[in-house]
């Protein structure tokens, strides 16, 4: 009898689960602030990037809110209806996928342009941290969707438009699901690699860092169009 090898969980997933359990137990109440990334990394004895990815995953499903310059705060969240965002019943339809990309092109292309004009060094650091986490995406067990969400939310923050950021946060759960699927399709496509996907994000970052608004806008539009096309091909195959 043969057995399938059991894959170990990522460190960031374990950290996410432990923080989630802390919140479920009531160790941290809604509205209260979590310990800093540095403190949490020391507490769990893991890297800061693992903690940041765990917090990004929690933010993506609405369990916490990360406020620039203030910290991470626990939301009033109903855990009774929580489903694994990677389960099939959580995958949105092709029509919804197309509509999502229409919205993303309207919002995020403009956000990238604004970010190039308004970004601060702190905003750039958040983008850099997300890019570094993307580099650690190793394949099927870690396609880097949490870091991808974190990168795009960091751009929304850099736009200095609170309504834009609120709207992106409201979409973050759906973004995480589609980013997981698109990255999985991208990874297993014969002509695509996660390295190429990383480069697209890097081009966006470089334009924003250089305060070249037009290039930032074009780089974001190119990125979203490429991801959309790759994902749609994957769904049709």
């Amino acid at each position: 009898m043969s057995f399938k090898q059991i894959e170990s969980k990522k460190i960031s997933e374990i950290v996410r689960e432990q923080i989630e359990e802390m919140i479920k137990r009531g160790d941290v109440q809604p509205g209260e602030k979590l310990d800093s990334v540095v403190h949490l990394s020391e507490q769990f004895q893991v890297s800061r990037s693992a903690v940041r990815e765990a917090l990004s995953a929690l933010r993506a499903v609405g369990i916490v809110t990360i406020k620039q310059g203030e910290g991470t705060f626990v939301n009033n969240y109903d855990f009774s209806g929580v489903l694994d965002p990677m389960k099939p019943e959580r995958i949105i339809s092709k029509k919804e996928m197309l509509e999502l990309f229409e919205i993303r092109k309207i919002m995020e292309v403009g956000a990238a342009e604004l970010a190039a004009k308004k970004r601060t060094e702190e905003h750039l650091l958040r983008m850099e941290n997300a890019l570094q986490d993307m580099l650690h995406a190793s394949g099927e067990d870690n396609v880097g969707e949490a870091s991808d969400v974190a990168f795009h939310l960091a751009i929304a923050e850099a736009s200095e438009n609170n309504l834009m950021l609120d709207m992106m946060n409201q979409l973050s759960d759906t973004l995480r699901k589609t980013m997981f699927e698109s990255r999985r399709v991208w990874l297993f496509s014969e002509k695509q690699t996660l390295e190429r996907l990383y480069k697209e994000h890097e081009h966006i970052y470089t334009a924003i860092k250089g305060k070249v608004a037009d290039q930032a806008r074009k780089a974001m539009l190119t990125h979203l169009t490429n991801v959309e096309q790759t994902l749609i091909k994957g769904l049709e195959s």
Side-chain angles (χ1 to χ4, degrees):
M1 182 181 295
S2 60
F3 294 91
K4 182 179 178 180
Q5 183 179 1
I6 299 175
E7 296 182 357
S8 59
K9 291 185 177 180
K10 287 175 53 187
I11 293 175
S12 62
E13 291 175 353
I14 297 172
V15 173
R16 177 189 61 76
E17 290 174 356
Q18 292 193 30
I19 296 175
E20 190 173 312
E21 282 302 314
M22 288 168 51
I23 296 172
K24 287 179 180 178
R25 289 196 307 265
D27 295 347
V28 189
Q29 296 295 321
E32 291 184 349
K33 181 179 176 180
L34 290 176
D35 289 334
S36 67
V37 171
V38 174
H39 192 170
L40 288 172
S41 68
E42 293 173 351
Q43 179 180 342
F44 293 117
Q45 296 185 336
V46 299
S47 67
R48 296 179 188 180
S49 63
V51 172
R52 283 193 294 268
E53 186 169 347
L55 294 177
S56 293
L58 291 171
R59 174 171 64 175
V61 294
I63 296 176
V64 301
T65 295
I66 301 176
K67 296 182 179 180
Q68 181 182 342
E70 297 182 36
T72 303
F73 296 83
V74 177
N75 294 330
N76 192 356
Y77 193 83
D78 181 9
F79 287 96
S80 63
V82 175
L83 293 172
D84 185 340
M86 297 304 113
K87 286 184 178 179
E89 59 265 31
R90 295 278 286 181
I91 301 300
I92 64 178
S93 68
K94 179 181 176 181
K95 181 177 183 297
E96 291 172 322
M97 194 84 71
L98 291 171
E99 290 177 345
L100 174 64
F101 275 98
E102 287 177 347
I103 293 297
R104 291 189 66 186
K105 287 175 184 177
I106 293 170
M107 290 176 51
E108 295 193 64
V109 170
E113 182 176 8
L114 287 173
K117 298 175 181 178
K118 300 181 178 181
R119 98 302 185 271
T120 65
E121 292 301 317
E122 185 174 352
H123 292 142
L124 291 177
L125 181 59
R126 289 176 185 271
M127 294 177 213
E128 290 167 5
N129 288 336
L131 285 172
Q132 283 300 311
D133 291 342
M134 282 185 208
L135 281 177
H136 298 147
S138 55
E140 186 174 5
D141 62 332
N142 174 19
V143 294
E145 80 282 355
S147 303
D148 204 330
V149 173
F151 180 80
H152 286 267
L153 286 176
I155 292 175
E157 290 174 355
S159 75
E160 296 286 358
N161 185 306
N162 291 330
L163 183 58
M164 174 85 72
L165 182 57
D166 286 345
M167 293 172 69
M168 285 291 292
N169 276 319
Q170 289 174 22
L171 284 172
S172 60
D173 185 18
T174 305
L175 288 177
R176 180 177 168 84
K177 287 183 290 181
T178 57
M179 285 177 180
F180 173 85
E181 186 64 18
S182 61
R183 281 176 164 270
R184 185 188 65 78
V185 172
W186 193 292
L187 177 63
F188 294 108
S189 169
E190 293 181 359
K191 298 180 180 179
Q192 312 285 5
T193 66
L194 288 182
E195 181 180 0
R196 180 177 168 185
L197 188 56
Y198 170 84
K199 288 294 184 183
E200 290 192 2
H201 287 90
E202 191 175 46
H203 291 156
I204 298 168
Y205 166 78
T206 300
I208 291 174
K209 182 178 181 180
K211 294 189 174 183
V212 187
D214 186 53
Q215 286 185 17
R217 183 182 183 87
K218 290 179 180 177
M220 179 63 80
L221 180 58
T222 297
H223 165 61
L224 293 176
T225 300
N226 287 345
V227 173
E228 178 185 25
Q229 291 176 349
T230 299
L231 184 52
I232 295 305
K233 288 179 182 177
L235 292 174
E236 293 175 344
S237 62

